[in-house]
């Protein structure tokens, strides 16, 4: 029987090729994900380990619980100073103490656009040895900074900014633009920098002036003498540290923590990719099961003869499973090789888009190899199990029967009953989900979605009859006898049609669901951006460090600016309730934001009165004229009167008051945002003037309505395209399934096609018949997929409304129409080879086929 299985694989190479393709694509996805994750993880771990080389103990500053993180000048205060550093250096076993200062510095590119990725734009102090070198930052050209007016950059940052040694570098830390002379270019393996950030280096005194106070540090890196026990040294250092103001961690603990972070950071990406790989393999199951069902049906006479000469049912099952296992193994090996290419390509694509992974060799772990091969073989064998059982039930007497028996009525009835129950439960769960508002209930929505989709897949043979018949009416009217034959062929075996269409349905269900929810969320964010904002520009900073309050008047004095309203906030506790109170210019806020008052007015607000949003009033049971006992963020207390209640406005938040009310409670006098209304309309020239008035800092964000929409909703569009790309694998496998089904169907109907040719149907008619059958099956899958996708997105979309109050279901008819068009194209393309093969059959040989 093993020889029989091997012979069957070799005898049906062309038929099994498409099945193998479905398996290897799914395995390639799995292998590529695992290899990519292992490769990137190991590269980051090695880069982190290199950064920790020579670090025996790290002493880091901790902010005091009873004091703010920064003072009014934006500088941090730490307990790590020269005195503590000298104390640590004097401990037995300590060989060296490195005194680090760190912060953030955003550099301006050639076009004024900031370089790097926000919090990854790090700054540090260059600490040269007696030869002028810093081991952490090897010099490429020039020298390290030694004076207040000097700066050094890493190679990638200098290249991105177009700088060379001797140029003037423009940058900002938390306010106005600063300039320094570039005196050196260094290299670094710091993962934050290599992953898309930037690095700026200053001499120690300058770094302390920018971020701390003279003589203070963020970290003391301790180097140990050879043979010193790290844990013992860490314990000694902890004894001399100020309580609750500093903490010591051994180098081994740091390495373990960094390794854990690397694993966690890669985990979400790997899990996401594996989910889509699982979807691809799930779709492949339909194709594999379909193929083996058709192969066994075609070999029923052969199997019956094997039974007649003594083969047992178990031997028949083993033969089919051995054939499936061999096919799965071969496909998995090829898929693993393809997955290796996917892993390398994925890393290159992400690097090209700014991921900046550290360099390192491709890692092929035993886990990746065994998992990929195991998944491919197991999925193939499981998919072939039911067909193998069907093969074992073939009785020897059926050896004389050359006609395929229709599916047993009882099995279809059982399937329809089971499908109805599962679908009904899934729909009931999704109706319950439609009443939920929190994203914490996503697991319930996922369970309901899986039940609904599974139920529809089980019911697909039953659903195929009315839908395919309806499509057949159209094809018959448009294409005559070819359309009628296509309908009858699709209905001949509803199980096969359903299995083929289900593969396409799964991909389109997920694509439709994501598209509908994504489009609705995008429109909701557009509304949030536009609603309540009548200003033409919103001005802020990319690091949320705020704008100097003195600069707002400069913006107001620009010709063409009609009004400017600042926003700077503080937190307020009133009883058991919390409010985010925005201080603003009450005389101009009405010109830049739409405030519709339900009661009271803004005119009544002042130094001791505020206006609150409708939601805040409703949730807390407050009303106009009510007095609140308030406690501010700075622990001061006071009495606030509610001067009015306005319709919810995302621009001003839950409460607004005068700046004179908020300012006494602010540690740092900074405007979080400026809302700017122009006299005519926004223009590039006016935007440049606003930037110039605010110091041309690279931290500035001057956004008009289009920029705000792009920032708020653009990420959703990017996510959708990524999902389309990942689900594209499932759609490709579904196309393979349609091709496979049609090819096998043509083989089964060889004699029938010969008879049709004999009674006058031309070759073009044969091609048309096969093409229309393919189109009908594809459109059936598309209609089911789009319908189920819309229902699931309607039911689950309500959970998005908690974070997006303006969310409502909006169907993107253009994209849904595009999905139907894609299904139509899939049907036409999938039929090219089977239709050509059918049309080229020799009439007499086909009639004589058994």
């Amino acid at each position: 029987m093993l020889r029989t299985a091997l012979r069957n694989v070799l005898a049906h190479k062309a038929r099994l090729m498409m099945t193998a393709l479905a398996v290897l694509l799914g395995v390639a996805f799995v292998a590529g994900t695992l290899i990519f994750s292992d490769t990137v993880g190991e590269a980051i771990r090695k880069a982190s380990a290199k950064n920790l080389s020579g670090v025996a103990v790290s002493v880091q500053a901790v902010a005091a619980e009873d004091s703010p993180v920064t003072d009014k000048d934006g500088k941090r205060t730490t307990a790590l100073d020269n005195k503590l550093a000298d104390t640590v250096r004097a401990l037995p076993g300590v060989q060296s103490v490195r005194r680090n200062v760190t912060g953030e510095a955003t550099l301006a590119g050639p076009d004024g656009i900031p370089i790097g990725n926000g919090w990854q734009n790090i700054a540090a102090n260059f600490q040269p040895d007696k030869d002028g070198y810093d081991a952490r930052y090897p010099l490429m050209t020039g020298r390290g900074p030694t004076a207040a007016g000097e700066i050094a950059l890493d190679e990638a940052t200098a290249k991105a900014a177009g700088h060379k040694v001797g140029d003037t570098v423009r940058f900002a830390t938390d306010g106005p633009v600063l300039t320094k002379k570039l005196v050196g270019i260094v290299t670094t393996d710091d993962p934050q920098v290599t992953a898309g950030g930037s690095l700026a280096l200053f001499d120690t005194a300058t770094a302390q002036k920018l971020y701390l106070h003279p003589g203070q540090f963020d970290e003391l890196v301790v180097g140990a003498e050879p043979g010193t026990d790290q844990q013992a040294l860490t314990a000694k250092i902890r004894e001399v540290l100020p309580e609750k103001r500093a903490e010591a961690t051994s180098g081994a603990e740091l390495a373990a923590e960094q390794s854990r972070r690397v694993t966690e950071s890669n985990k979400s990406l790997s899990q996401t990719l594996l989910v889509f790989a699982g979807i691809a393999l799930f779709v492949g199951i339909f194709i594999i099961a379909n193929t083996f069902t058709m192969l066994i049906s075609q070999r029923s006479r052969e199997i019956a003869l094997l039974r007649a000469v003594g083969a047992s049912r178990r031997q028949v099952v083993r033969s089919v499973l051995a054939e499936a296992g061999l096919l799965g193994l071969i496909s998995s090996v090829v898929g693993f090789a393809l997955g290796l290419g996917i892993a390398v390509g994925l890393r290159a694509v992400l690097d090209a888009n700014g991921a900046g992974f550290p360099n390192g060799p491709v890692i092929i772990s035993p886990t990746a190899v065994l998992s990929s091969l195991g998944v491919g073989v197991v999925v193939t064998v499981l998919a072939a199990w039911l067909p193998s059982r069907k093969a074992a039930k073939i009785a020897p007497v059926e050896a004389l029967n050359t006609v395929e028996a229709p599916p047993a009525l009882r099995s279809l009835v059982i399937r329809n009953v089971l499908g109805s129950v599962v679908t009904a439960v899934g729909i009931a769960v999704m109706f319950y989900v439609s009443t939920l508002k929190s994203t914490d209930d996503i697991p319930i929505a996922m369970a309901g979605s899986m039940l609904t989709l599974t139920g529809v897949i089980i019911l697909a043979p039953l659903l195929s009859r009315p839908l395919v018949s309806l499509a057949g009416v159209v094809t018959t009217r448009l294409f005559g006898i070819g359309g009628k034959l296509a309908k009858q062929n699709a209905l001949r075996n509803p199980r096969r049609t359903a299995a083929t269409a289900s593969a396409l349905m799964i991909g389109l269900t997920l694509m439709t669901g994501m598209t509908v929810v994504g489009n609705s969320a995008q429109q909701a964010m557009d509304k949030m951006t536009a609603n309540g904002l009548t200003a033409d520009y919103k001005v802020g900073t990319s690091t949320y460090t705020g704008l100097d309050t003195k600069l707002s008047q400069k913006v107001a004095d620009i010709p063409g600016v009609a009004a400017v309203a600042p926003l700077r906030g503080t937190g307020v506790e009133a009883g058991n309730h919390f409010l985010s109170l925005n201080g603003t210019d009450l005389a101009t806020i009405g010109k830049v934001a739409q405030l519709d008052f339900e009661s009271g007015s803004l005119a009544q607000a002042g130094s001791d009165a505020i206006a609150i949003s409708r939601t805040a009033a409703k949730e807390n049971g407050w009303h106009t004229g009510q007095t609140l006992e308030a406690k501010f963020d700075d622990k001061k207390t006071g009495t606030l009167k509610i001067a009015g209640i306005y319709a919810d406005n995302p621009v001003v938040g839950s409460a607004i008051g005068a700046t004179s009310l908020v300012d006494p409670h602010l540690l740092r006098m900074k405007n979080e945002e400026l809302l700017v209304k122009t006299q005519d309309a926004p223009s590039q020239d006016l935007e440049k003037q606003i930037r110039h008035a605010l110091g041309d800092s690279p931290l500035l964000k001057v956004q008009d309505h289009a920029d705000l929409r792009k920032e708020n909703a653009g990420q959703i569009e990017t996510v959708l395209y990524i999902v389309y790309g990942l689900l594209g694998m499932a759609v490709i496998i579904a196309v393979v399934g349609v091709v496979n089904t049609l090819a096998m169907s043509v083989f089964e109907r060889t004699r029938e096609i010969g008879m049709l040719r004999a009674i006058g149907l031309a070759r073009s008619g044969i091609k048309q018949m096969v093409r229309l059958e393919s189109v009908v099956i594809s459109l059936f899958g598309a209609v089911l997929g789009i319908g189920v996708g819309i229902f699931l997105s309607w039911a689950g979309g309500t959970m998005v409304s908690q974070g997006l109050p303006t969310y409502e279901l909006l169907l993107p008819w253009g994209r849904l129409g595009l999905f139907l068009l894609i299904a139509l194209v899939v049907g036409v393309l999938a039929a090219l080879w089977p239709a050509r093969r059918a049309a080229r059959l020799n009439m007499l040989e086909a009639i004589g086929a058994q």
Side-chain angles (χ1 to χ4, degrees), residues 593-717:
Q594 183 177 346
L595 295 173
D596 299 322
F597 277 82
E598 298 180 352
S599 62
S601 69
L602 198 62
Q604 299 175 28
S607 59
D608 62 349
I610 61 173
I612 61 174
S613 68
R614 176 197 301 155
T615 297
K618 184 178 180 180
E619 289 180 350
N620 301 315
W622 293 335
H623 57 82
T624 299
Q626 184 174 347
T627 300
L628 307 174
E629 294 299 323
K631 180 179 180 181
F632 294 86
D633 276 352
D634 62 351
K635 310 302 181 184
K636 295 179 182 178
T637 59
T639 301
L640 296 177
K641 183 180 179 181
I642 299 178
I645 298 174
Y646 55 86
D648 289 1
N649 186 315
V651 177
V652 297
S654 58
I656 54 174
T659 54
S660 59
L661 170 62
V662 172
D663 288 352
H665 306 287
L666 298 179
L667 176 65
R668 298 184 65 196
M669 193 65 67
K670 293 276 189 176
N671 286 324
E672 295 169 8
E673 291 178 345
L674 289 180
L675 304 180
V676 181
K677 180 71 175 177
T678 64
Q679 293 176 352
D680 298 317
S683 65
Q684 289 187 351
D685 181 62
L686 187 58
E687 181 178 336
K688 288 180 180 178
Q689 291 185 56
I690 293 173
R691 287 184 175 277
H692 182 69
L694 295 173
D696 281 325
S697 171
L699 299 176
L700 280 176
K701 291 171 63 177
V702 182
Q703 299 171 296
D704 58 18
H705 282 253
D707 294 328
L708 290 170
R709 286 193 179 97
K710 184 177 180 181
E711 180 180 72
N712 292 333
Q715 294 180 357
I716 297 176
E717 189 77 13

Side-chain angles (χ1 to χ4, degrees), residues 561-586:
V561 171
V564 175
L567 290 176
R568 48 184 184 261
T570 186
V572 177
E573 287 184 29
N576 297 323
H577 308 292
F578 177 83
L579 281 176
S580 179
L581 175 62
N582 272 313
T584 187
D585 185 343
L586 299 179

Side-chain angles (χ1 to χ4, degrees), residues 115-318:
I115 292 174
N117 297 327
W119 60 271
Q120 292 177 287
N121 296 334
I122 64 175
N125 58 323
F126 188 85
Q127 300 176 60
D129 56 20
K130 60 182 180 180
D131 297 321
Y133 295 97
D134 187 329
R136 286 192 68 192
Y137 307 112
L139 282 164
M140 287 189 62
T141 57
R143 58 176 177 81
T146 58
E150 298 176 345
I151 189 174
L153 302 176
D154 70 285
E155 180 186 14
T157 303
K159 184 178 180 181
H163 287 318
K164 59 183 183 297
V165 173
D167 289 349
T168 298
V169 177
R170 298 177 66 251
F171 70 97
T173 55
D174 67 346
V177 66
L178 303 172
T179 59
K180 294 187 184 298
K181 181 180 179 182
L182 181 62
V183 296
I185 296 176
V186 304
T187 60
T188 180
D189 291 315
D190 190 321
Q192 281 187 262
V193 180
T194 58
S198 64
L199 172 67
L201 297 174
F202 309 99
D203 67 281
T204 298
T206 301
Q208 289 172 333
K209 182 178 179 181
L210 288 172
Y211 306 109
L212 297 171
H213 295 88
Q216 294 184 351
F217 307 95
D218 289 298
E219 181 186 25
L220 301 178
V221 178
V222 180
E225 294 178 350
T228 302
D229 181 82
Q230 278 193 8
Q231 296 300 331
L233 182 58
T234 304
K236 290 180 183 178
I237 292 174
R238 285 172 179 162
E239 293 177 359
V240 301
L241 298 181
E243 187 177 358
K244 296 183 180 181
R245 297 302 306 277
E247 59 183 17
T249 309
S250 69
E253 291 172 333
L254 284 176
E257 176 62 19
Q258 287 198 356
S259 179
R260 186 192 64 79
R261 289 180 181 177
V262 169
T263 302
E264 287 296 320
S265 64
N266 286 335
K267 187 177 181 180
S268 58
L269 176 59
S270 298
Q271 287 179 340
T272 301
L273 293 175
L274 285 174
V275 165
F276 286 98
I279 293 170
L281 286 169
F282 183 62
V283 170
I285 287 175
F286 290 90
I287 293 140
I288 300 164
N290 229 10
T291 301
F292 274 92
T293 299
M294 288 186 284
L295 283 174
I296 288 167
S297 178
Q298 293 166 15
R299 300 206 310 260
S300 60
R301 188 168 189 172
E302 173 190 325
I303 292 170
L305 286 170
L306 286 172
R307 292 290 316 283
V309 298
S312 67
R313 290 188 175 186
R314 285 189 177 183
Q315 285 178 313
V316 172
V317 171
R318 289 173 191 163

Side-chain angles (χ1 to χ4, degrees), residues 745-804:
S745 181
V746 167
F747 178 83
E748 285 181 350
R749 302 202 306 266
T750 299
R751 177 183 287 185
E752 178 185 319
I753 292 171
M755 292 295 293
L756 289 171
R757 292 278 290 116
I759 61 176
L761 189 61
R763 292 181 187 273
S764 59
I766 297 293
K767 286 184 178 180
Q768 184 184 75
M769 177 185 71
V770 177
R771 281 198 298 266
L772 289 176
E773 181 182 354
S774 176
V775 168
V776 166
I777 292 174
S778 298
L779 287 178
F780 168 52
V783 169
L784 275 185
I786 293 173
V788 174
I790 290 174
F791 170 70
L792 296 180
S793 60
W794 165 79
T798 56
M799 292 185 294
V800 182
S801 61
Q802 185 185 41
L804 287 173

